[in-house]
Amino acid sequence: MPRTRWKPTPQQLMILQDLYRKGLTNPNSSEVQMITSHLSMYGKIQWKNVFYWFQNHKARDRHKMRKQLLQKYPKDDHRQLIINNKNPPSPSPSPSSSTTVSQVYSHSPPIFLHQVEATTEVSPQMMNYLWGNRMMRMNGRDWILMTDKGSSNIVHCSNKVPLRTLELFPVETTGFKD
Amino acid sequence: MPRTRWKPTPQQLMILQDLYRKGLTNPNSSEVQMITSHLSMYGKIQWKNVFYWFQNHKARDRHKMRKQLLQKYPKDDHRQLIINNKNPPSPSPSPSSSTTVSQVYSHSPPIFLHQVEATTEVSPQMMNYLWGNRMMRMNGRDWILMTDKGSSNIVHCSNKVPLRTLELFPVETTGFKD
DNA sequence: GCAAATTAATGATTTATTCAAG
DNA sequence: CTTGAATAAATCATTAATTTGC
């Protein structure tokens, strides 16, 4: 029984890459959950898949960049290679753990993620779960996913008042290979 | 808003240490969940707390051991320090990710963890959730926690047939400091 | 062309390092 | 100074590209 591994569908991949390019390189738990939830529309996917994808993508991005730089400035170049800077210059306001996905991705028929309950806690690396394949709950925050057509077939499990609503993803996909 | 961090109660700590000593140094997701569920009887606790505890404990254990050895065999001792061996000699059958908690801890009034549904998938690092504060579900496996008194106030959310039942924890706590 | 063999990509885990609360 | 929390780096493992011999 060789466990099989997740393979992103083209749509999923596109969205992930797009989010990444837009500056979301280090999504926190909630964000990962939101993304997972959305991507599940395009195929089977788990929270961990999204989490790992960002981890790996960032790491390998950085790795590639490092290699490029080392090619450019072969070895004991006196310049210091600072790649691991925690506070990126300015364009992408997405440091470690509190970037919101709102605005990150905003064109075309919107989908909304609606935060239903919140605690003070920010949620760590992991922690969360996808219930059925739409509703999820994690670390004291509940979210419901709604299309602009109204929340058809969306499960909602919270009894608290709404807090904020984030515009999130485009719906249609553009052309791609495979 | 400085986030506050989890502080294991003496009971929780004792159980964790005991599990660790018994050879469970690298619990998988399901195991972490089971442990979390049980420890929640002794105080507020989250999956991540347990997860981190084992991570840190193992790491610092090894670190300490390394330091001890380096003290013993100062520096360029010709002996090789092999600490990071993945396949422990024999006593503790707990390599990376598929140790079951069964048997690991077995004395006194037992509590059982009952696996309710299973998939082929083995569950990774994260992924799981504690619903309410007893029922949890993760990665296609459902578990219910039962005391030997019957499953009082335990939620059960699965509709599949039982698969196996693992004797898990002792109930009473022995003396300890703090 | 086309499988077997080898290599490259990348998903999944584990380990090391760092940060920060108390 | 200890230890919980979080991130980054290293590593393992599987699947896809690709190369190679026929």
Side-chain angles (χ1 to χ4, degrees), chain A residues 6 49 52 56 60:
Chain A
W6 169 70
N49 302 133
Y52 285 143
N56 282 321
R60 283 160 183 159

Side-chain angles (χ1 to χ4, degrees), chain A residues 138-171:
Chain A
M138 64 286 183
N139 248 23
R141 278 197 174 98
D142 281 0
W143 298 83
I144 47 175
L145 179 63
M146 304 183 297
T147 67
D148 52 357
K149 306 184 160 231
S151 44
S152 55
N153 87 338
I154 306 295
V155 186
H156 177 201
C157 286
S158 179
N159 50 1
K160 302 297 185 357
V161 280
L163 289 164
R164 43 184 190 130
T165 301
L166 309 178
E167 183 168 350
L168 193 56
F169 294 104
V171 171

Side-chain angles (χ1 to χ4, degrees), chain A residues 30-123:
Chain A
S30 304
E31 292 162 349
V32 171
Q33 185 54 67
M34 289 190 267
I35 296 164
T36 304
S37 180
H38 178 64
L39 292 189
S40 74
M41 298 203 301
Y42 303 106
K44 204 153 168 283
I45 194 173
Q46 291 181 290
W47 187 88
K48 68 167 179 177
N49 302 133
V50 176
F51 173 78
Y52 285 143
W53 190 90
F54 278 96
Q55 290 284 97
N56 282 321
H57 199 70
K58 181 164 56 166
R60 283 160 183 159
D61 219 34
R62 199 158 29 198
H63 191 72
K64 221 183 311 181
M65 203 180 295
R66 231 185 313 240
K67 227 161 58 176
Q68 272 183 357
L69 285 182
L70 278 167
Q71 237 167 9
K72 248 176 139 167
Y73 313 121
K75 27 192 68 176
D76 288 328
D77 194 314
H78 285 177
R79 271 166 289 212
Q80 247 196 318
L81 299 186
I82 299 177
I83 297 173
N84 212 350
N85 58 338
K86 296 242 168 172
N87 295 42
S90 72
S92 64
S94 68
S96 67
S97 77
S98 55
T99 313
T100 57
V101 185
S102 57
Q103 295 330 45
V104 171
Y105 208 123
S106 57
H107 43 79
S108 67
I111 285 183
F112 293 98
L113 269 177
H114 200 63
Q115 186 177 14
V116 179
E117 172 192 359
T119 63
T120 52
E121 196 155 356
V122 178
S123 268

